[in-house]
Amino acid sequence: MSHYFVTGIGTDVGKTFAACALLHGARQKNRKVVALKPVACGIDHAMGGDVAELLAASGHVDVEQSPWWFEAPLSPHMAATAEHKQIDLAELVAWTKARLPADGFSVVEGAGGIMVPLNERHTVRDWMVALELPVILVAGSYLGALNHTLSALELLRMAKLKVAAVVISESMHGVSLADTEKTIKNFAGDIPLIIAQARVSSWRQATHIHALVEKL
């Protein structure tokens, strides 16, 4: 079995794009796939946005609605508060673990970045630590992404989380993708897989991320 937690160096760096490309790559290899998005903000409850993309990539036509999908485009703890709810870490961890299959290829997509608060005490990183899944970190190539990526990797190391791969998703109006990849590899040499994906119109065309599935 292969289960991974997909997180990012921040919001809107391409987590869902990378997760969908990984699922698509696994399906191309005839592997059974499962996509989980337990915490989602800024969507309606008709399974739109990121959830719809993950459903399409995994080939599912429906999904059990998570208790932690919120309409407000805010951090999870703020979005939950706006709906008079709260995210309990123990419940979130149990819900996630119960839906990971015994075999196949699965991705759990986080919300926002590594240190985004889930509630008044816990962050996404606490969720990752409790799940003990290898992490796929999604980065960008925008100005400032190097600092954000290396800071994120340090936070993951401090929590003793295994980073299986870094996916650098080319940012719009960013700096050189090749130079970004070279620099991250230079400073994060202990990460086994660091790949760069140029901008494409769909995760169905993200061939570098598809190929990553075989190496994980």
Side-chain angles (χ1 to χ4, degrees), residues 2-154:
S2 301
H3 303 323
Y4 297 93
F5 195 105
V6 178
T7 190
I9 62 173
T11 303
D12 294 331
V13 294
K15 288 191 308 298
T16 301
F17 181 90
C20 288
L22 288 166
L23 292 164
H24 186 71
R27 290 183 70 199
Q28 287 182 318
K29 298 298 179 182
N30 296 314
R31 297 178 69 177
K32 176 183 176 182
V33 302
V34 170
L36 296 177
K37 178 74 174 178
V39 180
C41 305
I43 67 167
D44 61 30
H45 285 237
M47 292 172 291
D50 294 349
V51 176
E53 286 294 302
L54 290 167
L55 285 174
S58 62
H60 297 170
V61 295
D62 56 19
V63 66
E64 177 186 357
Q65 182 166 309
S66 162
W68 305 286
W69 291 355
F70 308 108
E71 293 186 17
L74 301 169
S75 65
H77 78 302
M78 290 183 180
T81 299
E83 296 185 20
H84 307 289
K85 298 177 182 177
Q86 187 174 31
I87 301 174
D88 181 88
L89 180 62
E91 291 179 6
L92 174 60
V93 171
W95 192 97
T96 308
K97 285 184 175 180
R99 285 153 183 81
L100 290 172
D103 57 7
F105 184 91
S106 306
V107 297
V108 179
E109 186 187 332
I114 293 168
M115 298 304 291
V116 167
L118 295 171
N119 54 41
E120 296 300 324
R121 294 180 53 221
H122 301 108
T123 66
V124 169
R125 186 175 67 164
D126 295 313
W127 180 19
M128 290 192 282
V129 168
L131 289 175
E132 298 182 300
L133 298 180
V135 174
I136 296 175
L137 178 67
V138 181
S141 62
Y142 58 86
L143 183 62
L146 293 175
N147 173 58
H148 295 161
T149 303
L150 298 180
S151 297
L153 288 173
E154 185 62 26

Side-chain angles (χ1 to χ4, degrees), residues 114 128 135 137 152-161 163:
I114 293 168
M128 290 192 282
V135 174
L137 178 67
L153 288 173
E154 185 62 26
L155 286 166
L156 293 171
R157 290 191 188 100
M158 288 170 62
K160 295 181 169 49
L161 284 161
V163 180

